[in-house]
Amino acid sequence: MPVWLQAGAWGLFAGGALVVGALVAWFVSVPQRVVASVMAFGAGVLISALAFDLVDEAERGGGLVATAVGFLAGASIYVTANVLLARRGAAHRKRSGDQQPSEQEHTGSGAAIAVGALLDGIPESVVLGLSLLSGNGVGVPVLAAIVISNLPEGLSSAAGMKRNGRSARYVFGVWTAIAVASGVAGLLGAALLEGASPELVAVITALAAGAILAMVSDTMIPEAFERTHLYAGFIATAGFMLAFAIERS
């Protein structure tokens, strides 16, 4: 199977975890404290994958300057887009409580939330696609981190959507579309950068990593801390340690 097709399949698989999380939230009444705890765990997992896999790999492949430029650029692009979407009603798109506005409260918020969800998911899938370019198969630590973090993301966000009156058609339409877009992003990440210079791959990898870290800080950690408070740090640490153990095994 061509590398680009493998990347698309893995991206779709990882994005499918969002749909699974949304299904759980729609049909099972999960306590918000549990949702927040899983979110904290997922945040820790992603941070570990960033530190010990993505950024480290980018620096070894393209050098510190290329990595730093890409990392800061990714965070800047994400934060700028997130600010614009927040003004249109998507600031709390990953929150499981009443923070998400309904369409009546903020016209256009439904579209903004959908675009925000896409913004959150694309960098992760691009990184998956890039991990295949080494010829050693998909990066298992990164894949595990994305799947583990996507489950609570889909769970929390879908719970908030349902609580604020979004229809099942909207909720599952959004997450199915994001899963498909994740597959396409992974496919393109591998197809467009196959044979590219190590410096370019490093910049793109670091750019995606910077966007992911900004996403974790802006959308996942606030939800985790609001409900778990002093326990959020320990739960995130446990997630960090699990991802580190996977990376070193």
Side-chain angles (χ1 to χ4, degrees):
M1 183 184 295
V3 170
W4 58 268
L5 194 55
Q6 294 179 49
W10 284 119
L12 182 62
F13 173 78
L18 293 165
V19 181
V20 174
L23 282 167
V24 172
W26 193 264
F27 294 107
V28 180
S29 180
V30 182
Q32 291 183 1
R33 186 178 292 271
V34 173
V35 174
S37 297
V38 181
M39 187 72 82
F41 189 84
V45 167
L46 274 180
I47 292 172
S48 180
L50 291 173
F52 294 107
D53 199 83
L54 299 182
V55 177
D56 180 63
E57 180 181 334
E59 192 278 331
R60 283 188 282 108
L64 181 59
V65 172
T67 301
V69 169
F71 195 72
L72 294 174
S76 300
I77 293 169
Y78 179 89
V79 170
T80 300
N82 196 43
V83 168
L84 295 174
L85 288 167
R87 293 174 180 172
R88 289 161 174 76
H92 301 297
R93 58 186 176 273
K94 281 192 172 66
R95 309 299 284 273
S96 60
D98 298 321
Q99 298 93 336
Q100 289 188 32
S102 65
E103 196 66 25
Q104 291 71 33
E105 293 170 329
H106 198 304
T107 303
S109 60
I113 290 170
V115 174
L118 181 65
L119 174 69
D120 297 339
I122 293 304
E124 299 171 342
S125 299
V126 170
V127 162
L128 272 182
L130 293 178
S131 74
L132 285 161
L133 296 181
S134 65
N136 298 318
V138 70
V140 175
V142 177
L143 176 64
I146 293 172
V147 171
I148 291 171
S149 64
N150 276 354
L151 281 167
E153 285 183 48
L155 180 65
S156 181
S157 187
M161 292 174 182
K162 182 180 180 182
R163 188 179 293 271
N164 286 280
R166 305 286 180 189
S167 67
R169 180 179 180 181
Y170 170 85
V171 172
F172 293 110
V174 165
W175 294 119
T176 300
I178 300 305
V180 172
S182 296
V184 173
L187 183 154
L188 292 176
L192 297 179
L193 291 171
E194 189 171 11
S197 68
E199 290 78 12
L200 179 58
V201 173
V203 169
I204 300 301
T205 300
L207 189 146
I212 293 170
L213 182 57
M215 180 272 291
V216 170
S217 302
D218 286 351
T219 65
M220 294 181 71
I221 291 176
E223 168 67 13
F225 180 77
E226 182 179 13
R227 301 293 176 183
T228 59
H229 296 296
L230 298 179
Y231 301 107
F234 178 79
I235 297 169
T237 301
F240 184 99
M241 196 64 233
L242 173 64
F244 177 73
I246 292 174
E247 194 273 337
R248 292 303 170 97
S249 61

